[in-house]
Amino acid sequence: MTLVLGSRIQLDENLEQMQQGTMMRKVKSKNWKKQRFFLLKDDCMTVWYKSKMSGNAKSAFSVSDVETVREGHQSEVLQSLAEEFPAECCFTVVFHGRRNNLDLIAGSAEEAQCWIQGLQRLVEIVTNMDQREKIDQWICDWFQKADKDKDGRMNFKEVQHLLRMMNVDMNEDHAYRLFQMADKSETGTLEGEEFVLFYKALTQRDEVLEIFQEYSEDGKKLTLLEFVDFLQQEQMESNGTDELAMELIDRYEPSETAKARHVLSTDGFLMYLCSPDGSIFNPEHRKVYQDMSQPLCHYFISSSHNTYLMEDQLRGQSSVEGYIRALKRGCRCLEVDCWDGSNGEPIVYHGHTFTSKILFREVVTTLEKYAFRASEYPVILSIENHCSIEQQDIMAQQLKGILGEQLLLNTIDGRVPMQLPSPEELKGKIILKGKKIGYLEDSLNEQPDEMPEQEYGEEEAVEEEEGADPEEEALRNEDKRKEKKTKQSLSKELSDCIIYCKSVPFCSFQHSRSHYKPYEMSSFAESKTRKLIREAGNDFVRHNAWQLTRIFPSGLRTDSSNYNPQIMWNVGCQMVALNFQTAGTEMDLYDGLFSQNGGCGYVLKPSFMRESETTFSPENPQSSSDRSPLNLVIKVISGQQLPKMPNSKEGSIVDPLVRVEIHGVPGDNAKQETKYIDNNGFNPQWGEIFQFQVWVPELSLLRFVVEDYDKASRNDFVGQYTLPLTSVKPGYRHIHLLSKDGTGIPPASIFVHIRLGELSTESK
């Protein structure tokens, strides 16, 4: 059957063996190891498993969900079984998003290699699919789901079942007409190309055809000149438009004949609009495009709180997987909470709780391996230190021994810095943040220009990093009482590793200006930060123009929930640390901000936040310059193949609505939403226009949320997409929705038209 992608994949020995199936051990812990029969389906895209050879088969995972396959003992569970099972029989399937890894043990090294190599090949094929192949795959997926009796044909009853699965509430007569139109062989069933015809009729995009015909003289094709007109007038492309049009035709036109004549068919036009080139996100911003030579304090830095935790703050699992996931997302500031281990080795966990423990050495080894895979720019390791001098010395030795040249142990030029170095100068370096004895000048044998009035002693040097927030005092007092008994001085060996990020207590902005150096920095709990923003917003912006600031969640957030990071970015706070393990609006905003600049974890702050004498205040941005607001007009046109929620009732169909949100300075925050469409998640049409005035677009994020309307209870989340307003491409654009977890849910999208600038209220 030509439409099945699996049939176009050349089967090799590995894939053939995977399709026959293999008995392997699925491992969840040292004691939970169960035999499962794993099988690659004929589509080469789905892996199933059975509890026993005769048991019912269940879907284990789709190849499109797999990010990578790790060989050997490369998970904590498999490491714990290293003595029982050889590395060559073990492998780990790693999924996109927050889904738990799958640890497997094969019966032999040959069987393990068969699955490792086979999965790696299939993941590469999925990763490199072009738009046409992705569409073929979606068609194939729907056929597989609808073909109940697996005979490679689909009768009308199966078609009706398919429509329900696809979120289509279609009149039975109309559905039957489409079925008959596609049944060219008149057999009462659809197979192969007949199903492709049916699918195309079902997915015809009238709203796209209307736009196409507006620019096409004959209504059948766009000539090169007509396509150039569209790109200039609608998509607001201005430079090298002729060359761009040629490139896009070459890239997306499926017909070789049309391609040779430099014309675009309706199929090619739709392919372009659904592609990354037709996306709302500016493709130029998918690479590092900002100036990376400014001081560190001039950037927002992707930062994680209690990085080692996979769940909540009281009983959750601690794992190096938390560090791997954060680093792969481009996170550049990680936190490590260090305590004395019983066997003389420092451990990492959330102190005075029931969270599990991991070795500090394992965290550092993970850091050495993964620090620069997603980004080459510096990683800051924020050390919350509760260890004795002896175990601090071990920490220092492990950091130096494992990280080697990656660990920054001196200023970049051997001199005391007058300002912080840049991400460019610190490429490939790991910087420690923590308490330090004395001054950087001491270790560089230079005298500071001016000694502060107060020298912070040893007692201060090991004060808990995330301390003294009034709302948390009740929780912390008991901990501090216990800690005081065992509190020790700071190890000189560990102290000497602190160069550019020396932690100091915060008294006031004036005090910091008078007494502190650019290489010193303070940490604030979220409530203290909000108070400072309310009382002295402009002072906070000025402070962040010359010194780094780290914000952390309240200790009362034991469920690992997050605060709104936008409030902190509005005053230029660089390290706004969130619980990366917890999905939700806050992490959507986080992912949205750091999706730009190549996802490198550093985003240059706007110029008005980088000046030490700036007059900018988020509460009153109009007063700081002769600003005029940006006019943003968004027409929400339609939706495509919006998924049903896994927990929705059998046979139910979504009633989708779209909410458009602006997140920025207080005066710019706004939201508007469409009406809901009854029973249509397949191709809902809204055609509603929203207008926003944005005073500070440089700090604004644009978020689209699709929900399933429910009049009796809270709406169900369907998908979302968030991006910086400065990364938005105008014109007709598709927004490819993400799940709650931040992973793609193809082919779900919404189609919009966007205008930016000094515009009238009219829009397309």
Side-chain angles (χ1 to χ4, degrees):
M1 184 173 139
T2 54
L3 70 97
V4 178
L5 185 72
S7 67
R8 296 212 314 272
I9 294 174
Q10 193 66 43
L11 287 180
D12 59 17
E13 200 177 316
N14 290 331
L15 297 184
E16 282 176 356
Q17 192 176 326
M18 289 163 71
Q19 286 186 343
Q20 288 167 17
T22 310
M23 189 66 82
M24 292 187 278
R25 281 184 178 87
K26 180 180 175 182
V27 186
K28 288 188 179 177
S29 69
K30 196 167 183 178
N31 300 319
W32 198 102
K33 306 182 288 285
K34 299 202 174 173
Q35 293 275 5
R36 296 284 186 264
F37 184 71
F38 284 87
L39 179 83
L40 176 68
K41 299 294 280 184
D42 290 343
D43 64 358
C44 284
M45 287 290 128
T46 321
V47 173
W48 288 61
Y49 75 90
K50 294 180 185 178
S51 297
K52 294 174 186 166
M53 290 290 284
S54 57
N56 291 328
K58 295 180 187 173
S59 176
F61 59 87
S62 166
V63 172
S64 59
D65 294 334
V66 178
E67 183 183 306
T68 189
V69 183
R70 296 186 203 146
E71 295 188 49
H73 300 137
Q74 287 206 58
S75 74
E76 286 149 316
V77 172
L78 291 176
Q79 280 166 10
S80 72
L81 295 166
E83 291 180 14
E84 196 177 341
F85 299 99
E88 56 268 24
C89 292
C90 301
F91 62 99
T92 302
V93 181
V94 181
F95 299 101
H96 294 291
R98 295 174 177 84
R99 181 174 171 177
N100 289 338
N101 297 343
L102 175 62
D103 288 314
L104 296 170
I105 302 172
S108 68
E110 292 73 30
E111 286 181 344
Q113 275 305 310
C114 163
W115 279 85
I116 291 164
Q117 291 173 15
L119 284 172
Q120 285 172 338
R121 182 178 167 220
L122 293 174
V123 168
E124 189 179 354
I125 288 168
V126 169
T127 305
N128 295 324
M129 273 184 196
D130 63 22
Q131 199 66 20
R132 169 59 60 192
E133 287 170 325
K134 283 179 184 172
I135 289 170
D136 284 353
Q137 179 57 40
W138 297 331
I139 296 174
C140 162
D141 287 346
W142 286 120
F143 190 96
Q144 298 282 342
K145 288 174 188 171
D147 185 15
K148 285 285 212 185
D149 52 14
K150 307 299 173 199
D151 62 354
R153 300 163 180 269
M154 201 166 62
N155 58 36
F156 184 61
K157 190 175 178 185
E158 288 172 325
V159 164
Q160 288 178 300
H161 178 67
L162 170 74
L163 293 173
R164 299 299 291 178
M165 285 196 297
M166 290 175 103
N167 256 332
V168 183
D169 185 18
M170 187 181 282
N171 173 285
E172 188 174 327
D173 290 341
H174 181 55
Y176 191 62
R177 278 197 298 275
L178 285 182
F179 179 86
Q180 285 183 308
M181 177 276 300
D183 181 19
K184 301 293 185 191
S185 60
E186 299 182 357
T187 58
T189 60
L190 304 182
E191 56 182 308
E193 292 305 319
E194 292 178 333
F195 181 73
V196 175
L197 267 177
F198 176 78
Y199 185 90
K200 280 194 169 177
L202 198 60
T203 54
Q204 183 171 304
R205 298 277 303 276
D206 291 338
E207 77 278 24
V208 172
L209 196 58
E210 199 177 304
I211 300 159
F212 181 87
Q213 288 171 342
E214 195 180 322
Y215 283 87
S216 165
E217 193 176 333
D218 67 2
K220 294 176 182 174
K221 66 179 182 302
L222 285 177
T223 65
L224 185 62
L225 284 176
E226 287 169 343
F227 189 36
V228 167
D229 281 349
F230 171 79
L231 292 174
Q232 289 175 340
Q233 292 174 36
E234 297 294 352
Q235 309 300 75
M236 308 305 286
E237 302 286 0
S238 51
N239 300 322
T241 324
D242 287 22
E243 292 81 2
L244 175 63
M246 294 273 281
E247 276 175 38
L248 294 173
I249 290 171
D250 197 50
R251 205 173 293 158
Y252 300 114
E253 175 50 56
S255 160
E256 292 300 326
T257 313
K259 205 182 283 188
R261 291 168 51 216
H262 304 313
V263 299
L264 199 61
S265 65
T266 51
D267 277 355
F269 185 63
L270 180 58
M271 292 271 282
Y272 152 66
L273 286 175
C274 291
S275 76
D277 288 300
S279 162
I280 190 172
F281 190 93
N282 186 340
E284 290 301 306
H285 292 190
R286 295 197 185 281
K287 57 193 178 196
V288 175
Y289 70 96
Q290 295 177 339
D291 176 8
M292 301 304 285
S293 63
Q294 304 250 352
L296 279 181
C297 55
H298 287 181
Y299 298 84
F300 296 120
I301 303 171
S302 178
S303 305
S304 158
H305 173 252
N306 286 357
T307 317
Y308 49 88
L309 288 179
M310 302 292 284
E311 300 158 31
D312 66 64
Q313 310 279 316
L314 296 178
R315 296 177 180 275
Q317 178 195 1
S318 302
S319 170
V320 295
E321 202 61 47
Y323 291 93
I324 295 171
R325 290 184 181 185
L327 287 165
K328 284 196 302 194
R329 292 174 78 149
C331 180
R332 297 288 87 189
C333 178
L334 311 167
E335 187 178 19
V336 61
D337 216 339
C338 305
W339 299 80
D340 279 359
S342 54
N343 63 349
E345 267 208 72
I347 55 171
V348 175
Y349 84 113
H350 199 207
H352 309 307
T353 67
F354 296 104
T355 59
S356 61
K357 302 172 176 66
I358 49 176
L359 291 172
F360 178 73
R361 173 170 40 84
E362 290 175 359
V363 173
V364 181
T365 302
T366 301
L367 190 55
E368 188 274 332
K369 187 171 182 182
Y370 289 94
F372 302 107
R373 289 199 181 180
S375 169
E376 58 189 345
Y377 293 103
V379 170
I380 298 164
L381 188 62
S382 178
I383 295 180
E384 198 169 321
N385 179 7
H386 308 271
C387 291
S388 62
I389 283 194
E390 293 75 22
Q391 294 210 13
Q392 287 178 50
D393 284 341
I394 292 170
M395 284 169 62
Q397 289 154 21
Q398 289 177 345
L399 285 161
K400 292 174 190 173
I402 295 167
L403 298 179
E405 290 293 307
Q406 289 182 336
L407 184 64
L408 188 82
L409 292 172
N410 206 341
T411 56
I412 53 173
D413 57 3
R415 303 180 65 179
V416 175
M418 300 308 290
Q419 65 174 24
L420 286 165
S422 69
E424 189 65 35
E425 291 170 306
L426 293 167
K427 265 184 184 175
K429 290 294 181 187
I430 293 168
I431 303 161
L432 296 192
K433 171 194 164 296
K435 302 291 182 182
K436 184 177 180 69
I437 300 167
Y439 298 90
L440 188 54
E441 289 85 343
D442 302 337
S443 51
L444 296 170
N445 299 316
E446 288 187 34
Q447 286 300 310
D449 299 334
E450 179 189 337
M451 295 292 282
E453 291 171 6
Q454 181 182 0
E455 176 73 80
Y456 293 98
E458 291 178 342
E459 179 78 6
E460 177 63 50
V462 287
E463 181 185 276
E464 186 176 6
E465 176 79 6
E466 297 188 358
D469 181 33
E471 68 178 27
E472 298 171 34
E473 282 303 307
L475 284 176
R476 296 190 180 278
N477 282 344
E478 182 61 20
D479 290 351
K480 285 183 177 178
R481 188 181 62 75
K482 291 176 186 171
E483 234 181 285
K484 208 163 187 179
K485 294 178 183 174
T486 57
K487 193 174 269 189
Q488 301 291 324
S489 304
L490 187 61
S491 142
K492 183 177 185 310
E493 193 172 353
L494 186 60
S495 168
D496 286 347
C497 297
I498 307 294
I499 307 298
Y500 287 122
C501 295
K502 175 189 171 184
S503 297
V504 291
F506 177 80
C507 300
S508 69
F509 293 123
Q510 184 54 49
H511 177 272
S512 295
R513 193 75 164 196
S514 308
H515 297 82
Y516 289 156
K517 305 284 184 183
Y519 63 80
E520 295 174 316
M521 63 173 291
S522 301
S523 292
F524 303 86
E526 57 175 287
S527 57
K528 169 85 169 173
T529 311
R530 286 196 196 93
K531 185 171 184 288
L532 288 169
I533 292 169
R534 281 196 305 271
E535 293 172 356
N538 174 250
D539 288 339
F540 213 157
V541 177
R542 290 183 175 196
H543 174 84
N544 287 323
W546 71 277
Q547 197 177 59
L548 287 168
T549 295
R550 179 174 175 272
I551 315 299
F552 57 89
S554 159
L556 299 175
R557 292 185 182 273
T558 54
D559 58 351
S560 292
S561 60
N562 283 311
Y563 55 88
N564 180 357
Q566 185 70 48
I567 302 163
M568 320 311 183
W569 292 328
N570 288 343
V571 289
C573 297
Q574 301 87 354
M575 302 179 193
V576 179
L578 293 195
N579 292 303
F580 272 41
Q581 71 271 35
T582 307
T585 304
E586 298 81 13
M587 275 309 299
D588 292 343
L589 297 179
Y590 218 88
D591 290 340
L593 177 73
F594 289 103
S595 61
Q596 64 185 311
N597 209 25
C600 75
Y602 285 84
V603 169
L604 187 63
K605 295 197 285 187
S607 57
F608 55 80
M609 301 188 96
R610 308 196 302 260
E611 302 151 3
S612 56
E613 301 303 320
T614 180
T615 58
F616 175 77
S617 170
E619 296 298 325
N620 189 16
Q622 298 95 317
S623 65
S624 62
S625 65
D626 44 357
R627 283 181 174 273
S628 57
L630 174 80
N631 206 13
L632 170 66
V633 182
I634 298 175
K635 181 176 184 180
V636 179
I637 302 170
S638 62
Q640 294 75 46
Q641 302 184 53
L642 305 174
K644 282 194 292 189
M645 292 302 92
N647 56 357
S648 56
K649 287 189 212 119
E650 180 68 35
S652 69
I653 291 173
V654 298
D655 304 325
L657 61 84
V658 179
R659 187 167 60 253
V660 183
E661 304 172 350
I662 303 285
H663 297 261
V665 298
D668 286 342
N669 290 333
K671 57 179 75 170
Q672 297 186 55
E673 70 181 37
T674 66
K675 62 183 181 297
Y676 68 89
I677 305 292
D678 269 325
N679 287 343
N680 188 352
F682 188 70
N683 57 357
Q685 306 287 316
W686 291 283
E688 295 189 44
I689 296 172
F690 302 132
Q691 187 166 359
F692 300 91
Q693 282 200 336
V694 185
W695 284 93
V696 192
E698 301 92 333
L699 284 174
S700 297
L701 294 168
L702 178 60
R703 184 169 187 253
F704 295 86
V705 188
V706 180
E707 289 181 345
D708 179 9
Y709 174 76
D710 191 326
K711 63 172 180 254
S713 62
R714 195 172 171 181
N715 293 351
D716 285 329
F717 174 89
V718 173
Q720 70 84 33
Y721 189 80
T722 307
L723 75 165
L725 191 51
T726 51
S727 295
V728 169
K729 288 281 279 182
Y732 287 103
R733 301 289 169 183
H734 276 93
I735 296 161
H736 299 282
L737 296 173
L738 302 175
S739 69
K740 196 166 270 186
D741 223 15
T743 56
I745 42 175
S749 63
I750 51 176
F751 187 45
V752 300
H753 184 272
I754 290 178
R755 277 276 177 261
L756 295 159
E758 303 273 337
L759 300 176
S760 68
T761 54
E762 292 175 21
S763 178
K764 289 276 172 187

